Amino acid sequence: MILLQSHSRFLLQTLLNRVHNLEKAVEVDYNWVEFDDVRYHVQVSMKNPHLFLLSVSLPIPSADTVFCGGLPSGAIEAIKAAYGILVQILDPPRDGFNLTLKLNLSKLPLDEDNRHTILVKVASIREVVLGAPLRGILKQLGSRVVASDVNKLVALVHRPKESFFLVPQAEKVTVVFPMRFKDSIDIALATSFLQEFVEARRTAGLNNAPPCSWSLSPPQELKGAPSDALSANAGFVTFVIFTRHVEGKRVDRVIWSLSTFHAYVSYHVKCSEGFMHTRMRRRVESLIQALDRAKPDAIETRRKTHSRSFKRLVGDGNAG
């Protein structure tokens, strides 16, 4: 199975190209969209080639998700902690976007390895912003701090108008994903995939992974959730995160894996569908080839039959 990268590959490549050609006054103006409707816009002017403007548009939050100033809770603090003086948050952001950052590329370290590490972090702006509220909850779990909102259902956006839910507790955090798909084939494949996903967790090599369960009906943790959250045509997936799962640098991997879990499942559902389509096309092609190989034999047989009949008629005429 393939895990999605936390950084935007196109954004990282754009940053690297800009850094390697910092002395050249080249105008840059790019727009693109990545999975779960996260949109990016980057701009560099010829007048200030060392200033890099990065704007990000997040998925539209559902009614049960709270944004503060157009951003998830704790996003501003997370940006300042991640980038320090390298970036400046512009207020208001670019029209149509939730966030605009101004990067001064001339302040990057001269050491190439350190510079590349920072640029990868900048290209991971999606993880920093969307994962900010989740990071806050998991850090409280890791430090064994009992939060004031313990046992309170928390909704976090991860797709346009869709949320997943957390229930923070003193010793664990329960995470619930309502899984929804539009296409009937995707629903069937996702249901089968999730059942196998849960079964795979029970293998001996994954004993330290977070416990995982799947059900068609809403779990008890979603009691009191809005009615829209209780409808999921591919069921509900529940993870239980304990303190050992968020120790040290593990927390970064857990945050990204949870934030993109639906995209991870969707990716593998589409891969499975494409694989089956490929197998079907190959099977049809092999059948067509078999039919094509059979056609010349039938034609040759008919020719031989007609030839023998003609000779027999000629011979009978001479005998008469």
Side-chain angles (χ1 to χ4, degrees):
M1 295 183 179
I2 298 176
L3 295 175
L4 300 172
Q5 293 179 327
S6 61
H7 63 269
S8 167
R9 294 182 64 181
F10 185 77
L11 178 55
L12 177 59
Q13 189 60 49
T14 303
L15 286 165
L16 290 173
N17 290 340
R18 189 64 247 144
V19 169
H20 293 155
N21 298 279
L22 199 57
E23 302 302 324
K24 297 180 180 180
V26 178
E27 187 172 348
V28 176
D29 193 342
Y30 297 149
N31 282 280
W32 73 96
V33 182
E34 297 191 356
F35 64 93
D36 291 337
D37 199 32
V38 175
R39 295 189 295 116
Y40 296 87
H41 176 263
V42 296
Q43 187 175 21
V44 177
S45 66
M46 297 181 67
K47 184 178 180 181
N48 297 303
H50 63 285
L51 296 180
F52 189 97
L53 295 180
L54 168 62
S55 299
V56 183
S57 174
L58 305 177
I60 300 175
S62 57
D64 46 17
T65 306
V66 178
F67 271 20
C68 301
L71 294 172
S73 175
I76 297 296
E77 293 76 8
I79 293 170
K80 292 179 179 179
Y83 305 122
I85 61 172
L86 177 64
V87 305
Q88 177 186 352
I89 302 173
L90 300 185
D91 189 21
R94 184 182 178 90
D95 189 33
F97 291 83
N98 299 82
L99 173 71
T100 298
L101 302 177
K102 182 166 71 172
L103 289 77
N104 191 340
L105 300 180
S106 62
K107 293 184 178 180
L108 289 171
L110 298 178
D111 181 72
E112 188 171 349
D113 290 338
N114 291 338
R115 184 171 57 192
H116 188 271
T117 300
I118 292 175
L119 292 179
V120 170
K121 191 68 175 177
V122 172
S124 304
I125 183 66
R126 172 201 184 109
E127 176 190 14
V128 173
V129 175
L130 284 178
L134 179 57
R135 182 179 295 275
I137 293 173
L138 294 182
K139 278 193 171 183
Q140 288 179 343
L141 173 66
S143 60
R144 294 177 173 83
V145 175
V146 179
S148 58
D149 57 352
V150 65
N151 293 320
K152 181 182 178 182
L153 191 67
V154 179
L156 301 181
V157 65
H158 66 138
R159 303 183 71 233
K161 298 183 179 180
E162 290 189 21
S163 303
F164 67 100
F165 299 89
L166 284 76
V167 181
Q169 295 174 291
E171 300 295 330
K172 63 181 181 181
V173 174
T174 303
V175 186
V176 182
F177 289 89
M179 304 301 292
R180 304 181 182 92
F181 294 86
K182 295 180 180 180
D183 186 79
S184 59
I185 296 177
D186 290 353
I187 294 172
L189 290 175
T191 301
S192 177
F193 176 86
L194 291 171
Q195 289 174 328
E196 291 294 329
F197 185 87
V198 172
E199 288 296 324
R201 163 61 182 83
R202 299 173 183 173
T203 58
L206 297 175
N207 288 333
N208 293 326
C212 176
S213 62
W214 174 87
S215 64
L216 279 174
S217 57
Q220 186 65 27
E221 287 80 5
L222 290 186
K223 183 179 180 181
S227 57
D228 292 344
L230 303 180
S231 61
N233 51 25
F236 299 82
V237 180
T238 303
F239 294 96
V240 182
I241 310 298
F242 292 101
T243 304
R244 67 177 184 272
H245 297 132
V246 294
E247 293 176 346
K249 294 184 178 181
R250 293 180 182 177
V251 65
D252 293 329
R253 185 173 181 179
V254 171
I255 290 170
W256 178 247
S257 298
L258 291 176
S259 300
T260 58
F261 178 70
H262 194 288
Y264 166 83
V265 175
S266 298
Y267 175 83
H268 285 87
V269 165
K270 291 301 182 184
C271 286
S272 300
E273 189 174 350
F275 175 74
M276 287 188 291
H277 286 171
T278 301
R279 291 288 301 273
M280 291 168 62
R281 283 193 295 268
R282 288 177 180 174
R283 181 59 178 165
V284 170
E285 289 172 358
S286 66
L287 291 173
I288 291 174
Q289 289 175 1
L291 290 173
D292 289 340
R293 286 194 299 268
K295 286 180 181 180
D297 295 337
I299 295 172
E300 186 66 25
T301 301
R302 287 198 298 269
R303 286 178 178 175
K304 290 180 179 180
T305 303
H306 293 327
S307 178
R308 286 197 297 270
S309 299
F310 175 76
K311 290 179 179 179
R312 189 165 50 249
L313 288 173
V314 173
D316 292 344
N318 293 335

